[in-house]
Structures are given as structure tokens and as C-alpha cells.
Amino acid sequence: MLSTFLRRSSFHKPKLNIARFFSNKQGFDSLVLGAYSEPSCQLTTQHISNTTKKLLEDQLKSSNFKKANDTRIFYNVGGVNQVAIVSLGKKRQNEQDSVRMATALGIQALQKQGAKYTGVDVSIDVQGAAEGAVLSQFSFEKLKKSKKEEKEECVVEPYLPEQDDEASKRWEVGQIYGASQNIARMLMTSPSNLMTPKLFAEEVAYLLAGLENIDIKVYDEDWVTRQKMNAFLSVAQGSTEPLRFLEIHYKGAKDKDEKPYGLVGKGITFDSGGISLKPSANMALMKGDMGGAATVAGALYGISKMKLPVNIVTVIPLCENMPSGNAIKPGDVIKAMNGSSIEILNTDAEGRLILADALHYVSSKYQPKSIIDLATLTGAMDVALGQVFAGVFTNRDELWEQLKKAGAAVSDPFWRMPLHKDYMRGMKESLVADLSNIGGRSGGSCSAAGFLQEFVDEKIPWAHIDIAGVMECSATEGYHIKGMSGRPTRALIELMKNQ
């Protein structure tokens, strides 16, 4: 899967094939162009003759080309076999997402028609076009006996009639952003029997192998036991699959000893709920309960490829949550790494347990500049925000503003949620322990975030991002592909780019 994205990220050797009505020195057999449908049909590209431009714009007007994302395909225009024109809607100040979506829709339409070498108009936004080009082509078919008909891979490149080094660099950046999210999609989509904790650690180590400034450490149960990570161990003990604790250091700053930023990803590779068993309906989706781990790994790939000048320490606790004779039971009490005792009232509230130890570990050992954890933590977040926003709980306004800005820049948005001590009241009323692992029914996402805050040094800026709602995309629409979403990988890269 990764090799496909990497092949797409390299530039195709240009072919000399100068067309009559298009400047087409690269020899594309197909083009994706954008056009504003309001106030009138107006092509955005400048690399086209006035005659051809007027011909196409007249055709668009005649075809009721009005709404954003409307797509029209024209054939044998100016020596180009197929030209897909996609509406950007009304002209706006920030059009990156319109370009991202239009590029994706145009490429998907052309590939259905057998396009082999497609040029994409980058007149409006180069990076957005590149992201759309890569994200729109994601598929996971390697396990199918009857794959789609084998055919020559479609190559997509920027439509640049003249040499433009800056545009080429921006295109490569967009491809890295897209490929990073596709890595997260691939990890989340893989069946849990083929993406166990051990296999996840091996896959991520393989993906990051050879990248500069990366150091990977994979720890087993003996190491976790010596660290007294009993909250993590309690979740893992119900499964026959061995746990793993993945620690990855990226040192891109000039000063390798500079304090790092911390990233923590929830890595439950399958969540049955344990003894508190989930309903069987849609339980198969719980292969994606390692979405936090997947997005953190995908972001780290992009950060390393872009050689961003920051230091990062990433920790990912990996295990399954299964029912068995060895599984932790409701009513059991365990002691976490920080010394707090926790009464288990619901074994399906397991993500916060493995994150508790991971957060204390990175917080106490590295004292990072900030810590961000990502987790498909609560169904309540899906109810609250659906598939639009990922919910952010944070102890610092500045960190929220940075996340908000990063999410908006790449159209992978966040919404701030309340972090308040009153949500913890029910969880601090246990008769036998310092904390219980669930509170009341109301405000479930808020109480879960409050639980995690107990394990982070209050002096450290921290944000918890609950991605349960955005874990899955329910339908394919342009660069949004049905299935596991890989969000918010691009927003994490953007955040670190701005540090």
C-alpha cells in the first residue's frame, strides 16, 4: 500500500507532445481543470488559448454548470483525450478545500474513463490539489480474491507548462500530507487479525525505517511490568495477543537535546468491550479503535518526510480488549503507574486506562513542551459532534488556538469541549479506590477527558482529542473515502509545521 503512494509522489518523466489548444509539454492524456460557477462559468487555468477557453466556458453554461462540485467531462479538446472540469462554486478568499475536493472529483471521474496520465490545474492552490489527488485514490483491496481489473497505474502530476520549482515543492508537500493520512487509513482499515499489537508495531517500524532522525523502541510485557503500568496491563491481560509499547523519537530540531513535543495514541487493535461486552452490531468497526495510534504514526511519517525542525516523542500503548478467564472484571481494583488506584466499573472504558499509564510515562520522563493524546475514546463524542469535528479538551487556551488554526488550514476541523472538575465528581466517589473508570451517563466524553487529566503534570500544556466521531467516513465524496478516515493526521502535521 505504501509503495503505491510513494510511487505517486515521484514525478513522471515528461513527454514532448505539444497540443494545439493547450500548453501540454508534459504530454498528459487527460486534465483536471477548475472553474467558478458563480457569478458565471469561468475557468481558473491560464494555460489555455482564448478560443479553447471560450469553447469550454460556453459548453459549461449550456450544461447547467452551477453547483459546487458539478463535474463535466469533454473529449478530444485541443489534442487532450479527456478534460474534466469541476466547479469550485462561488469565488472565495480561502479556496484550498474547494480545490482539494474538485481535484479529487475530477481524478475519480477520469479514472473511471481509463485515464492514464492526468495533469491537475494548480492555479488556485497547489498543496490542496496535491492532497486531493493522493487522498482520492485510496483503496484497500489487497485481501480480495477478485481485485479490480489489473491496469496500468494512473499517474497524476501538476499541470505546469513552464518550470516552476516553488509549485513543484508545494505539490510534494501536499502529496506528503495526503500519503500520511492514507497510511493512517491503511492501518485502521486492516483487519484486527492482521493488525495485532505486534504486527502494528512491526508495520510502523517498517514504514518509518530509513527516515532521518527517527529512533524506534518496541517494548514487551516484561518491560511494561517493570514500569508498573498496571492500568495498561489490566486491559491487555484478557487477550492471548501479546501487548506492545511503542516509543518513537523524532529529532529534527537543530538542538537534539531540546525538549520534545509529546504525542500519545490509543492503540486498542480490537475492542470487544471485555467482560462488559459490546453489542454485536457494528462490533467489526472496533478494529479501528487504534485510530489514535494510526493517526499519530501517519503524522510522524509526514513530519519526518518534511524534515520539520522539531523534536517529538511519541508513545503508543498497543493491546486488545477481550473477554476471557484472565480478563479484568467489573469491581476489580488496579494501581496505575502514577500510584493512583482505579476501580473498574466498566471494562469497556479501557482506552482511558492504557492512556493513563502512557500519559504519566511521557509526562514524568520527558517533561515535554506539550502533550497531545488522540483516541477513539467515547461513543458520546460521536453523538455530540458526529463525523464533522474532532473534540478537543485542553488545559491551555494557547494550545487550543494552535489546534484550531491547524485544523482550519487543512479542512480537518476541531471543536473545543469543556474541561471542568465537576465532571469528575462521580469518578472520585469510589468506596474502594482513588478513582473509578467511569462516571455517570451524562457528559461521558467530558468525564473521560477529566480522568486522563489526572495523569498529566498540570505544568505541561495538554490536549486530549477524542476522534471517535471522525473515526469513520460513512460515504465516499471526493477525497473523503468511505471507511476508516485517518483523521486528523494532516492537522497534526500542520500543527507541528507551525511550531
Side-chain angles (χ1 to χ4, degrees), residues 103-114:
T103 301
L105 292 168
I107 288 171
Q108 290 166 345
L110 289 171
Q111 289 186 346
K112 289 178 182 178
Q113 302 293 104

Side-chain angles (χ1 to χ4, degrees), residues 32-92:
V32 176
L33 305 180
Y36 297 115
S37 53
E38 294 184 44
S40 62
C41 300
Q42 179 184 351
L43 290 168
T44 60
T45 182
Q46 304 301 313
H47 309 299
I48 184 173
S49 71
N50 290 333
T51 302
T52 305
K53 183 176 182 181
K54 186 178 187 308
L55 170 67
L56 291 173
E57 289 177 347
D58 287 345
Q59 289 293 312
L60 291 175
K61 291 174 185 176
S62 300
S63 69
N64 199 32
F65 186 78
K66 292 183 178 180
K67 296 185 298 182
N69 301 332
D70 275 354
T71 304
R72 304 287 184 268
I73 298 181
F74 300 93
Y75 301 93
N76 295 321
V77 180
V80 179
N81 294 343
Q82 302 178 80
V83 178
I85 302 179
V86 186
S87 172
L88 300 173
K90 187 177 180 179
K91 191 171 184 177
R92 296 175 176 85

Side-chain angles (χ1 to χ4, degrees), residues 310-332:
V310 293
N311 290 341
I312 297 173
V313 56
T314 297
V315 297
I316 301 174
L318 295 155
C319 69
E320 291 184 334
N321 183 27
M322 298 291 285
S324 74
N326 294 324
I328 194 168
K329 307 176 295 297
D332 288 357

Side-chain angles (χ1 to χ4, degrees), residues 136-448:
S136 66
Q137 297 182 77
F138 177 79
S139 65
F140 191 96
E141 297 186 340
K142 63 182 180 181
L143 301 178
K144 294 182 179 180
K145 182 178 180 181
S146 300
K147 299 182 178 65
K148 288 182 179 179
E149 183 182 352
E150 292 293 334
K151 55 185 179 182
E152 184 181 348
E153 183 181 325
C154 179
V155 176
V156 180
E157 293 180 0
Y159 177 37
L160 295 170
E162 303 298 332
Q163 184 68 29
D164 188 334
D165 293 339
E166 182 59 31
S168 296
K169 289 177 182 178
R170 295 295 298 164
W171 179 266
E172 290 176 352
V173 167
Q175 286 189 308
I176 291 171
Y177 273 60
S180 299
Q181 183 172 340
N182 281 346
I183 285 171
R185 284 169 164 175
M186 180 271 293
L187 292 169
M188 294 175 70
T189 304
S190 297
S192 57
N193 62 320
L194 302 179
M195 196 54 71
T196 62
K198 178 176 180 291
L199 293 175
F200 183 99
E202 291 174 353
E203 183 73 12
V204 170
Y206 172 77
L207 289 169
L208 299 179
L211 296 181
E212 291 185 28
N213 302 314
I214 288 282
D215 180 37
I216 304 171
K217 301 175 182 178
V218 182
Y219 298 115
D220 61 11
E221 184 175 342
D222 288 341
W223 181 89
V224 172
T225 302
R226 290 196 300 273
Q227 303 302 312
K228 299 182 180 180
M229 294 184 178
N230 297 312
F232 179 25
L233 287 165
S234 71
V235 178
Q237 69 190 44
S239 175
T240 58
E241 292 290 345
L243 64 78
R244 289 291 185 268
F245 190 89
L246 188 57
E247 182 175 333
I248 308 169
H249 292 262
Y250 168 73
K251 295 188 176 182
K254 289 183 179 180
D255 181 1
K256 304 304 180 184
D257 295 325
E258 181 181 310
K259 272 191 176 184
Y261 296 93
L263 293 176
V264 180
K266 173 188 170 184
I268 299 292
T269 58
F270 184 76
D271 182 18
S272 69
I275 297 296
S276 306
L277 195 67
K278 291 178 180 290
S280 59
N282 297 320
M283 193 192 289
L285 292 176
M286 288 300 97
K287 68 180 182 179
D289 206 26
M290 32 62 76
T295 54
V296 165
L300 205 56
Y301 170 85
I303 290 165
S304 179
K305 288 287 286 185
M306 292 174 63
K307 300 179 181 179
L308 297 184
V310 293
N311 290 341
I312 297 173
V313 56
T314 297
V315 297
I316 301 174
L318 295 155
C319 69
E320 291 184 334
N321 183 27
M322 298 291 285
S324 74
N326 294 324
I328 194 168
K329 307 176 295 297
D332 288 357
V333 176
I334 52 94
K335 184 170 285 190
M337 186 183 183
N338 76 338
S340 297
S341 57
I342 304 171
E343 182 182 15
I344 309 302
L345 297 183
N346 188 325
T347 65
D348 194 25
E350 86 299 330
R352 65 198 69 182
L353 297 177
I354 72 169
L355 288 174
D357 282 341
L359 285 167
H360 177 71
Y361 173 78
V362 74
S363 175
S364 60
K365 183 169 183 178
Y366 296 105
Q367 288 289 308
K369 292 181 179 180
S370 66
I371 300 173
I372 297 175
D373 76 76
L374 293 98
T376 50
L377 203 64
T378 63
M381 184 55 63
D382 181 39
V383 174
L385 298 180
Q387 296 182 1
V388 181
F389 293 92
V392 174
F393 301 81
T394 180
N395 61 2
R396 298 290 194 281
D397 292 341
E398 183 181 1
L399 184 53
W400 159 244
E401 292 298 331
Q402 291 172 352
L403 282 164
K404 180 182 177 181
K405 178 181 177 182
V410 296
S411 303
D412 200 350
F414 299 113
W415 192 268
R416 191 172 188 179
M417 302 291 288
L419 192 65
H420 195 279
K421 62 181 181 179
D422 284 359
Y423 288 110
M424 286 296 294
R425 285 182 179 177
M427 303 177 85
K428 290 187 174 182
E429 294 176 351
S430 171
L431 299 178
V432 295
D434 297 314
L435 297 167
S436 57
N437 75 326
I438 59 169
R441 181 176 181 273
S442 300
S445 297
C446 303
S447 59

Side-chain angles (χ1 to χ4, degrees), residues 16-31 48-49 52 55-56 74-83 117 159:
L16 185 62
N17 181 19
I18 302 176
R20 182 178 176 186
F21 300 119
F22 285 99
S23 178
N24 188 19
K25 295 179 180 179
Q26 292 161 279
F28 295 117
D29 65 16
S30 52
L31 293 174
I48 184 173
S49 71
T52 305
L55 170 67
L56 291 173
F74 300 93
Y75 301 93
N76 295 321
V77 180
V80 179
N81 294 343
Q82 302 178 80
V83 178
Y117 185 30
Y159 177 37

